[in-house]
Amino acid sequence: MRPEDLLSLLGILAVMAGILAGAYYFTRWAGRGLGTLPGMGSQNLRVLDRISLGRDQSMLVVRANKRYFLVGAAPSGVSLLAELSPEEGAAWEHPAPTEGGVRPGPGEGFQQLFQKISQKKKD
C-alpha cells in the first residue's frame, strides 16, 4: 500500500468521525429544548415518569397543575387509567429513598403504584 493511499484512508476516516460526532452533538443541542417550547404549558403540565409496556405502548404519571394522573398511551390514543391522590403524586415528584438511601430504579415506582391501586379496587 502506498503512503498516499494510507493518508487518503486516514483522511476519510477522520472526516467520517467528524461527521458522526457533529451529528451527535447537534442532535443533543437541538433536542435540549423540545420538551419546553414556549406555549406548551410546561409549567402546568409535566410528565413525572414513564415506563414502556411494549412497542408504542407506555404508561405515564402526569402532573396537571396540582392533580396527578396515571395515563396509558398507545397509537390508538391516550387513556386515563386512574387519578392519583396528592400524596401519591407528590411521591413521584420527589421519590423517597429506599433502604440504604438508594432511590427507586426505573419501574419500581410503578410496581408500588399498581399495588396501591389494586388494593383500592379490592376495598
Side-chain angles (χ1 to χ4, degrees):
M1 191 181 225
R2 297 186 332 222
E4 299 86 29
D5 293 339
L6 184 59
L7 288 175
S8 177
L9 178 62
L10 288 176
I12 290 172
L13 289 176
V15 168
M16 291 298 293
I19 290 172
L20 290 175
Y24 172 77
Y25 287 111
F26 176 76
T27 54
R28 285 183 53 104
W29 171 79
R32 191 174 302 155
L34 288 180
T36 58
L37 291 174
M40 294 294 288
S42 63
Q43 293 294 324
N44 297 322
L45 185 63
R46 190 166 155 217
V47 175
L48 301 177
D49 202 359
R50 169 187 220 129
I51 188 169
S52 177
L53 301 175
R55 184 175 175 208
D56 297 332
Q57 298 174 342
S58 59
M59 283 186 12
L60 303 98
V61 176
V62 177
R63 183 190 77 204
N65 264 343
K66 295 181 182 180
R67 296 174 68 188
Y68 299 90
F69 303 97
L70 178 63
V71 177
S76 60
V78 177
S79 303
L80 175 64
L81 301 176
E83 183 169 353
L84 306 177
S85 69
E87 295 82 23
E88 292 170 331
W92 287 93
E93 294 262 10
H94 310 287
T98 58
E99 294 177 22
V102 179
R103 295 212 181 266
E108 291 179 22
F110 276 103
Q111 291 173 347
Q112 294 169 357
L113 182 61
F114 287 141
Q115 290 171 354
K116 286 181 183 179
I117 290 174
S118 63
Q119 197 75 13
K120 285 181 185 178
K121 289 188 178 185
K122 288 180 184 177
D123 295 339

